[in-house]
Amino acid sequence: MAFENFSDLKSDLTTRMGKAVDVLKRDLAGLRTGRASISLLDNISVIAYGSPTPINQVASLSTPEARLICVSVWDKSLTSAVEKAIRDSDLGLNPASDGTLVRVPIPELTEERRKELSKIASGYAEQTKVSIRSIRHDGMEAVKSMEKSKLISEDDRKSYEEEIQKLTDNAVADVEKHFAEKQKDIMTI
């Protein structure tokens, strides 16, 4: 995409890097840490009325205790589908239902599982850094293109490249911060 001025380019890069970090935060929220969190079930879809539906659109979720998630299903006929969707997810959870309430106890994490989750979180962080570096590359190419088109001078190009690198460094620092928080959360017993 061609940009006429640097402020438009900078705004675009900032938005794209922010979205990459947001995806990381969502992915990390889906990793189980041993404490109950309704975000743990965010990526689960239930087959409701013939089509996959996010669990939060067929039930209300709550965490009445530190190690328990309660899923209050609105339509009693969907209770078994909700239970099956949670059981079939790769989260290692074993829900139990009584009527329209599905209780999801959160088991203790073993040391091995903690290390596995930490590796998964590290992979998410690394994927996000790769995305951010790709966005930086796009920005650098756009600045070079602006210089070739005589829209900016060589000094401007160098200055803009430094600004793009600062944006990148800030986004990567944000990724590191979120990963470190999640890793601490995972490894805390």
Side-chain angles (χ1 to χ4, degrees):
M1 182 178 345
F3 290 92
E4 294 297 315
N5 60 50
F6 182 70
S7 63
D8 290 347
L9 173 62
K10 185 176 176 181
S11 173
D12 178 64
L13 295 175
T14 303
T15 301
R16 289 170 59 199
M17 288 181 187
K19 285 179 182 175
V21 172
D22 288 344
V23 168
L24 171 70
K25 288 194 277 191
R26 190 187 69 235
D27 288 346
L28 291 178
L31 287 178
R32 188 158 74 84
T33 61
R35 278 201 319 270
S37 168
I38 59 173
S39 63
L40 192 58
L41 304 180
D42 280 353
N43 295 329
I44 295 179
S45 290
V46 177
I47 301 300
Y49 315 112
S51 63
T53 308
I55 196 166
N56 62 2
Q57 292 182 13
V58 296
S60 56
L61 309 169
S62 63
T63 54
E65 298 172 25
R67 305 187 69 74
L68 180 70
I69 299 174
C70 285
V71 182
S72 183
V73 184
W74 299 322
D75 181 348
K76 192 173 185 171
S77 67
L78 294 176
T79 303
S80 62
V82 167
E83 197 175 344
K84 181 181 180 340
I86 294 170
R87 189 171 285 114
D88 292 349
S89 72
D90 62 353
L91 297 173
L93 300 173
N94 191 17
S97 67
D98 61 11
T100 59
L101 185 67
V102 178
R103 288 185 173 81
V104 186
I106 307 297
E108 278 288 334
L109 292 176
T110 63
E111 186 65 26
E112 186 179 310
R113 182 67 176 143
R114 287 177 194 281
K115 288 178 181 172
E116 197 178 304
L117 288 172
S118 186
K119 281 183 186 173
I120 292 169
S122 175
Y124 289 161
E126 198 51 46
Q127 285 174 333
T128 304
K129 287 183 205 173
V130 168
S131 295
I132 290 169
R133 287 192 287 267
S134 172
I135 295 165
R136 178 193 65 196
H137 176 75
D138 293 348
M140 296 296 194
E141 290 300 314
V143 167
K144 287 175 186 167
S145 171
M146 289 165 80
E147 181 188 19
K148 265 186 197 164
S149 302
K150 304 277 190 240
L151 295 172
I152 60 172
S153 67
E154 182 181 350
D155 289 343
D156 286 340
R157 177 186 55 83
K158 289 178 182 175
S159 166
Y160 294 161
E161 285 176 346
E162 285 175 18
E163 277 194 62
I164 291 170
Q165 187 59 48
K166 284 180 189 167
L167 283 176
T168 304
D169 293 343
N170 290 339
V172 168
D174 209 16
V175 168
E176 290 293 334
K177 182 187 84 165
H178 291 296
F179 168 65
E181 288 171 1
K182 188 62 174 189
Q183 189 171 32
K184 181 181 174 218
D185 212 16
I186 290 170
M187 297 312 272
T188 302
I189 296 175

